Amino acid sequence: MLQLAAQLRGMSRDQLRDVLELREFSVDGIADLFDLAEALLAPDSLDHAVERLDRPHLALLAVLVTAPHALPADALGAALAEHGAQRELVARAPELLAALRERLLVVDVDPAGDGTGGQHVPAALVARLAPRLGEELPSVEQLAAPAPAVLQPIDEVDRSLLARRAAEQAYSTVAATAELLAALGTQPARELAKGGLALPDSRRLAELCGVELEEVPRLFGRAVEAGLVVRDGAYWLESDTGAKWSARDSAARWRLLAECWRDRVPAALRELVARRSEALSASAFRDDVRWLYPAAGEWLDAGLARLAGEADALGLAVAGEPVEPGRLVLADRLDEATALLAAHFPKQVDRVYVQHDLTIVSPGPLEPSLDARLRGFADVEARDLASSYRVTAASINRGLASGETADSIREFLGALSLTGIPQPLEYLVAEAAARFGAVRVAQAPPSDAPARATIRSDDEHLIGTLEVDQTLGAIGLRRVSPHRLLSRFDPQVVFWALSDAKYPVAAEDADGAIVRLQRHRLAPTPAPAPANDRIGKLLDVLLATPADGPATEQAWLARQLEAAARAKETLTVTVRMPGGQTADYLLAPASVANGRLRARDRKADIERTLPISAIAAVAPAPEE
């Protein structure tokens, strides 16, 4: 621990931050560099670091742990070769050593800086790792052995079939996600107090997205991870990020989902996939991963589960078998992966067939902007490669309420249709426009409190129908005159309830002018929460006192001696003599109290008591 604490003391703030970011440890109770060294040498911290070492790094660490004495840096390549390492691994010895030092698993005790000093592995790490080598972990020779051969590539026919199947699955996921956002735009989904979506909402989303009920949590979770949906209170809404995503083409939509998936796969696994052949099967890939990370624990299992869990849905694997797009995504070659899959996506269209039965058939995926506007006054009946929409009086009324006019609907359909506008649809649009606003909803005046909305119509019979309509029971309509009803709910809530019940309703302001309403409410994507800079706060504490003052030096010496006493270590203690000379003693500290050291002199075999103020320096005892 002394060597590690000394190395930490010699680092700048930036260097300390860099190395501590690579390690996992508890910051609780750390007041100085000795406390920090102890935290870094705690079993959990050491296990966390070792588990994330790949085989080459673990091989070099095992060589250092099992060496009978400290090895100089320039002897490590030869030591690896003695254990059967091939030329490639031997050549990497300096790079591997630098990475182990960076993770504070190896301490540099090379004061001359010429590579002649030894590489010290903390005793706590030796005790933790050495008994496992050759038992639950491979031996040093096995760790230094070359990697297994890569499997032969599959033939071009199989590759083509897999590519098409992967593209079909990827497009299906993208389309289902787009339907999910459209469904939330129409009606938010409620989150249960115990977590998860309410069952009625799950069923509604499953039907609208064209997926099985058990697939909804995965579909929804994917959208949450990508920031496409946001929770607002007890309800989930489409986010402004989701609205932008919906306006993109299928390739760009897929790219964002794939990028989010990649970001949640551990970096070590991404690098491994990029290194290995795309021809590996899923089982061989798992074997390969476990070979490269022999000390890995739960993090690897979780990473592999993440790797495989969503890969099929995004076209990155087929029936669990990795395919080329998956390798490209994990290698950060997203543009290539997108182009590879998008080449098999169905082409988007900008024209439709408008039919006499009031349906509109799109021969392929309709361009997002056209699809969004068409949905404003038509209902989606079937969503597949060829989608169909149906125009009804209620759907046209919905479009008129959101700002469309009879002329704008005719103009849009005229430009979109390959078959013109059939006469039945012309009649329907004209009739709906003529009836639009037969029922008006507005803010109730204060005199009608506690009512918040007023509903009026010149048609007394229509007001009577609204009063007795059982589907409107939830908004509690109360008749106060032949032409007027009141409700305690907000005018927008009442408006959309009447619209869903297919009444020709319009919203109006206090002056009786029609107000255009948009049902589709977006939730702002929340800004990322500020990261808890635990390392920065820790460094503020550790570096609050200058490290070069006399009092600090005395405290530093005292802590080194106390640590050696606890660890029962022997030190070389340099003592200032009365004539100005110094003398070295080989001491085993027993206790430090009242500014004095009590220790056993190993050479003279006597007990000595020294004032700490007389001690010039301490160092680890030389190896025997």
Side-chain angles (χ1 to χ4, degrees), residues 134-323:
E135 298 293 335
E136 58 185 280
L137 293 178
S139 65
V140 182
E141 289 73 18
Q142 291 170 328
L143 289 171
V150 177
L151 299 183
Q152 294 299 313
I154 55 180
D155 61 50
E156 291 301 322
V157 174
D158 287 341
R159 194 186 305 276
S160 177
L161 290 173
L162 287 175
R164 287 197 293 272
R165 179 68 186 91
E168 288 175 8
Q169 184 58 53
Y171 181 80
S172 175
T173 296
V174 168
T177 305
E179 290 301 319
L180 173 70
L181 299 189
L184 293 178
T186 301
Q187 182 179 340
R190 185 167 64 88
E191 175 86 0
L192 296 174
K194 63 181 180 180
L197 296 179
L199 184 58
D201 283 320
S202 293
R203 287 173 173 163
R204 173 176 63 90
L205 294 175
E207 181 179 356
L208 293 174
C209 297
V211 299
E212 297 297 327
L213 181 61
E214 57 268 20
E215 288 296 316
V216 170
R218 282 188 286 271
L219 180 68
F220 199 84
R222 204 176 296 122
V224 172
E225 286 183 349
L228 306 180
V229 299
V230 172
R231 185 174 172 182
D232 185 5
Y235 290 91
W236 288 94
L237 307 172
E238 181 184 6
S239 69
D240 47 11
T241 299
K244 295 174 184 175
W245 181 87
S246 297
R248 298 175 182 171
D249 61 22
S250 298
R253 291 174 176 179
W254 177 86
R255 191 185 191 283
L256 177 62
L257 296 179
E259 187 175 4
C260 291
W261 173 83
R262 179 208 62 190
D263 290 345
R264 286 166 176 77
V265 175
L269 296 189
R270 293 186 232 162
E271 294 166 5
L272 177 62
V273 174
R275 180 180 70 83
R276 300 297 279 169
S277 166
E278 71 278 6
L280 285 172
S281 68
S283 58
F285 174 72
R286 291 189 183 94
D287 292 342
D288 193 42
V289 171
R290 295 190 183 282
W291 179 89
L292 190 64
Y293 293 92
E298 294 182 2
W299 77 268
L300 182 62
D301 295 331
L304 286 172
R306 173 70 193 176
L307 195 67
E310 295 290 314
D312 273 38
L314 293 171
L316 304 171
V318 175
E321 301 291 326
V323 291

Side-chain angles (χ1 to χ4, degrees), residues 577-609:
M577 307 304 288
Q581 304 91 348
T582 59
D584 291 340
Y585 293 91
L586 198 62
L587 302 179
S591 65
V592 177
N594 300 319
R596 304 183 72 82
L597 165 68
R598 185 171 61 83
R600 189 78 182 174
D601 188 322
R602 290 300 189 193
K603 287 186 177 180
D605 195 25
I606 60 173
E607 185 174 285
R608 294 185 184 275
T609 301

Side-chain angles (χ1 to χ4, degrees), residues 402-478:
S402 63
E404 294 280 7
T405 65
D407 289 340
S408 68
I409 292 174
R410 293 191 194 96
E411 182 181 352
F412 176 69
L413 289 178
L416 193 64
S417 176
L418 291 166
T419 53
I421 303 179
Q423 195 173 49
L425 184 55
E426 285 271 15
Y427 287 156
L428 182 63
V429 172
E431 183 182 356
R435 296 184 67 238
F436 176 63
V439 178
R440 302 291 185 96
V441 175
Q443 185 76 38
S447 58
D448 287 329
R452 299 173 64 189
T454 177
I455 304 95
R456 69 176 182 86
S457 175
D458 294 336
D459 187 339
E460 185 178 340
H461 176 71
L462 184 54
I463 288 291
T465 302
L466 293 174
E467 183 184 14
V468 298
D469 190 336
Q470 295 299 312
T471 62
L472 300 176
I475 58 175
L477 297 179
R478 177 169 59 89

